[in-house]
């Protein structure tokens, strides 16, 4: 019983019903009871006190708001230090910023330190689960798994695969790539809360041979995830067209390799044709909406209104994205939605970075909600920080407006504490 924790706070958790309508679970004064890393009870304070014998201790976190930990379904570990790299659009930015940053991970010690830093930075942003691109280096991906595993974090990650159109030191021949990838899968996939994602960066940097090797791996390990990019930028699409002249469109390049599965996440998808979208939806694959990155790189505006819940996920896409905060990512999402004349509701936004992203990863039965039986992955929000948020909230009359303000005005100071499997992994209250 020693690891039992009783937390009292405002509680908010979102689900959807079978018709796709938001189901709100909100307690102005509630309790979350956790044991052995799992949530065992979520209830109102009145119900808690009626049930519990007197004298049981609890931690009173009011007036802070406790919500499920945020989930980032598309982010690049080696790009943590190149956020806000000034450049042209995507392909220029890759050459100027992303590739040089990834080359530095050839150094084992550097990669290990940066993997630990990255995991801690996610926690300080309130993110408790992520789907992550590592680099082409096997040791860098291993370091990432080691760092996540040490914190009992749920992580989906993979070693980037590239065999052309990138600096030579980031390219791998087929034999080396095969050996590294298979070794990582064997060592890490399904170990604790870790999962492996096949990670061909995108069709520009993977030959047909490399993509068909992914297909081969999937035939042996059908439960592997797949993460890649698609139709982010017009210049990129032109490059894919000339590299794969025999395919009718970008998606078909991945389809031919068997990479459009229910566990596949295609980042961006801004410029997909109607036909490509329909095929991708039918395949059950996910599009990762990365509004911060799309605005930063001038890539375009994703029409999220047209994407079914079952196919939508959302990611920070650091370092094309300008921060790891999923609250910030939602704020950028509102801007993209506004430009398309779509009123993205704050509940939909919060759902997308919690339960929605959990569902997109096929993990919606264990994370993404404050619910008995789920992992106690949670984030405690201090809505008095920063001052601009506190001031705004004095004039907010309902929960959606409060969340909307939080997403625009909240920052790292709003993240009071982060829990992973019931353990405190970040504690700003302790720092102050
Ligand atoms: Zn990306």
């Amino acid at each position: 019983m020693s690891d039992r924790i009783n937390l009292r706070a405002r509680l908010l958790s979102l689900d959807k019903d079978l018709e796709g309508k938001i189901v709100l679970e909100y307690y102005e004064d509630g309790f979350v009871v956790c044991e052995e890393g799992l949530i065992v009870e979520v209830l109102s304070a009145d119900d808690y006190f009626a049930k519990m014998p007197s004298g049981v201790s609890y931690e009173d976190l009011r007036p802070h708001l406790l919500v499920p930990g945020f989930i980032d379904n598309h982010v690049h570990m080696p790009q943590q230090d190149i956020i806000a790299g000034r450049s042209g659009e995507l392909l220029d930015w890759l050459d100027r910023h992303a590739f040089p940053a990834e080359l530095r991970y050839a150094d084992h010690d550097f990669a290990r330190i940066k993997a630990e830093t990255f995991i801690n930075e996610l926690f300080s942003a309130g993110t408790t689960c992520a789907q992550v691109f590592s680099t082409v280096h096997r040791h860098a991906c291993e370091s990432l798994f080691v760092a996540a595993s040490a914190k009992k974090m749920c992580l989906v990650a993979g070693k980037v695969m590239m065999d052309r159109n990138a600096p030579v030191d980031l390219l791998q021949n087929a034999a080396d790539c095969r050996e590294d990838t298979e070794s990582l899968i064997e060592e890490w996939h399904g170990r604790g809360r870790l999962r492996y994602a096949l990670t061909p960066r995108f069709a520009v940097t993977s030959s047909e041979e490399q993509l068909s090797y992914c297909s081969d791996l999937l035939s042996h390990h059908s439960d592997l995830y797949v993460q890649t990019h698609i139709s982010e930028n017009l210049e990129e699409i032109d490059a894919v067209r000339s590299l794969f002249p025999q395919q009718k469109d970008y998606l078909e390049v991945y389809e031919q390799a068997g990479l459009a599965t229910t566990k596949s996440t295609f980042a961006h998808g801004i410029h997909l044709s109607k036909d490509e979208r329909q095929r991708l939806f039918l395949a059950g694959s996910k599009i990762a909406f990365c509004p911060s990155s799309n605005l930063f790189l001038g890539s375009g505006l994703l029409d999220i209104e047209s994407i079914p819940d079952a196919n939508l996920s959302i990611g920070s896409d650091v370092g094309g994205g300008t921060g790891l905060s999923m609250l910030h990512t939602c704020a950028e999402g509102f801007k993209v939605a506004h430009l398309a004349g779509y009123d993205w509701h704050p509940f939909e936004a919060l759902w997308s970075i919690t339960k929605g992203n959990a569902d997109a990863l096929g993990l919606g039965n264990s994370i993404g909600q404050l619910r008995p039986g789920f992992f106690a992955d949670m984030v405690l929000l201090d809505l008095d920080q920063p001052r601009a948020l506190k001031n705004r909230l004095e004039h907010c009359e309902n929960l959606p407006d409060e969340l909307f303000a939080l997403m625009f005005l909240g920052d790292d100071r709003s993240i009071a504490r982060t829990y992973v499997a019931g353990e405190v992994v970040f504690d700003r209250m302790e720092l102050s």
Side-chain angles (χ1 to χ4, degrees):
M1 296 289 280
S2 61
D3 71 340
R4 189 179 175 99
I5 54 171
N6 303 307
L7 305 175
R8 184 177 190 178
R10 286 174 77 200
L11 308 178
L12 174 62
S13 177
L14 300 173
D15 196 0
K16 287 203 174 184
D17 64 18
L18 292 174
E19 290 170 353
K21 294 207 175 71
I22 290 283
V23 177
L24 185 72
E25 188 162 15
Y26 176 68
Y27 297 100
E28 187 67 34
D29 185 3
F31 271 81
V32 174
V33 179
C34 309
E35 202 170 287
E36 294 180 0
L38 300 178
I39 294 169
V40 292
E41 280 198 274
V42 180
L43 67 178
S44 70
D46 286 347
D47 288 346
Y48 176 86
F49 289 119
K51 275 176 86 162
M52 291 301 283
S54 60
V56 174
S57 65
Y58 62 85
E59 188 173 11
D60 194 347
L61 300 168
R62 293 173 300 165
H64 296 343
L65 177 68
L66 191 68
V67 301
F70 304 140
I71 302 170
D72 185 346
N73 276 17
H74 183 73
V75 60
H76 298 254
M77 184 258 283
Q79 296 175 11
Q80 59 187 304
D81 293 330
I82 55 158
I83 297 169
R86 191 162 172 255
S87 77
E89 293 187 3
L90 174 68
L91 300 182
D92 181 47
W93 178 83
L94 285 171
D95 286 337
R96 281 207 217 184
H97 299 287
F99 292 148
E102 295 181 20
L103 283 165
R104 293 196 276 274
Y105 283 71
D107 183 287
H108 287 237
D109 287 341
F110 179 86
R112 182 178 48 74
I113 291 163
K114 283 296 174 184
E116 290 168 5
T117 305
F118 176 70
I119 295 296
N120 287 328
E121 288 293 309
L122 289 177
F123 294 156
S124 68
T127 297
T128 54
C129 170
Q131 180 166 232
V132 186
F133 279 56
S134 180
T135 65
V136 297
H137 312 97
R138 171 168 143 186
H139 62 262
C141 192
E142 267 169 355
S143 294
L144 186 58
F145 281 130
V146 167
S149 170
K151 304 286 186 178
K152 301 191 179 79
M153 181 192 187
C154 179
L155 186 90
V156 179
K159 186 195 90 60
V160 168
M161 304 163 87
M162 295 197 285
D163 64 357
R164 62 178 175 180
N165 296 322
V168 66
D169 288 343
L170 292 178
L171 304 180
Q172 267 191 316
N173 64 42
D176 289 348
C177 186
R178 178 178 287 263
E179 187 187 331
D180 285 352
T181 302
E182 289 182 19
S183 146
L184 286 165
I185 292 167
E186 195 169 317
E187 178 83 4
W188 297 104
H189 183 57
R191 182 162 159 181
R193 305 185 69 191
L194 308 176
R195 302 288 182 273
Y196 195 82
L198 294 175
T199 310
R201 175 178 229 111
F202 64 160
V204 175
T205 49
S206 283
S207 66
E208 201 165 345
E209 182 192 8
Q210 190 168 72
L211 293 175
S212 68
Y213 160 58
C214 291
S215 155
D216 192 35
L217 272 174
L218 277 176
S219 66
H220 291 97
H221 307 272
S222 59
D223 61 338
L224 288 174
Y225 288 82
V226 175
Q227 56 177 349
T228 187
H229 299 87
I230 193 167
S231 294
E232 175 179 2
N233 171 282
L234 298 176
E235 204 184 343
E236 166 213 4
I237 296 167
D238 283 345
V240 171
R241 197 174 289 128
S242 61
L243 288 164
F244 294 89
Q246 68 281 25
Q247 315 299 3
K248 68 175 177 183
D249 54 34
Y250 199 156
L251 181 61
E252 195 177 69
V253 174
Y254 295 133
E255 286 173 332
Q256 291 276 318
L259 297 183
T261 78
T262 55
K263 296 182 91 170
S264 301
T265 302
F266 294 97
H268 310 297
I270 300 166
H271 307 287
L272 289 172
S273 67
K274 201 171 170 193
D275 183 51
E276 285 174 297
R277 280 176 180 229
Q278 284 310 317
R279 281 151 45 210
L280 194 145
F281 296 161
L282 276 174
S285 300
K286 323 301 173 198
I287 289 178
F289 175 40
C290 302
S292 170
S293 169
N294 298 159
L295 292 170
F296 177 72
L297 289 172
S299 301
L301 307 172
L302 182 70
D303 175 14
I304 56 164
E305 190 178 9
S306 68
I307 300 175
D309 283 343
N311 303 98
L312 182 66
S313 66
I314 181 165
S316 68
D317 194 26
V318 155
T322 52
L324 286 171
S325 166
M326 293 308 290
L327 297 173
H328 166 83
T329 301
C330 287
E332 298 296 275
F334 288 122
K335 295 176 190 171
V336 170
H338 278 161
L339 285 164
Y342 173 52
D343 181 17
W344 197 34
H345 195 280
F347 285 159
E348 291 284 340
L350 182 63
W351 174 86
S352 75
I353 61 172
T354 54
K355 179 67 159 68
N357 269 356
D359 284 343
L361 292 174
L363 300 171
N365 58 359
S366 63
I367 57 171
Q369 285 179 272
L370 303 180
R371 190 167 169 176
F374 279 41
F375 281 97
D377 292 356
M378 307 178 291
V379 57
L380 185 70
L381 300 166
D382 177 356
L383 303 188
D384 284 342
Q385 300 289 341
R387 184 178 294 277
L389 175 61
K390 180 179 165 65
N391 292 344
R392 176 71 188 91
L393 293 185
E394 284 170 11
H395 306 286
C396 281
E397 292 175 354
N398 57 49
L399 195 51
D401 286 356
E402 200 176 337
L403 289 176
F404 189 75
L406 167 69
M407 287 165 182
F408 275 95
L409 299 174
D411 61 20
D412 55 344
R413 290 165 287 181
S414 316
I415 308 297
R417 184 182 283 177
T418 305
Y419 295 86
V420 167
E423 302 278 337
V424 175
V425 292
F426 171 76
D427 197 349
R428 187 171 303 281
M429 297 192 289
E430 196 133 274
L431 296 175
S432 58

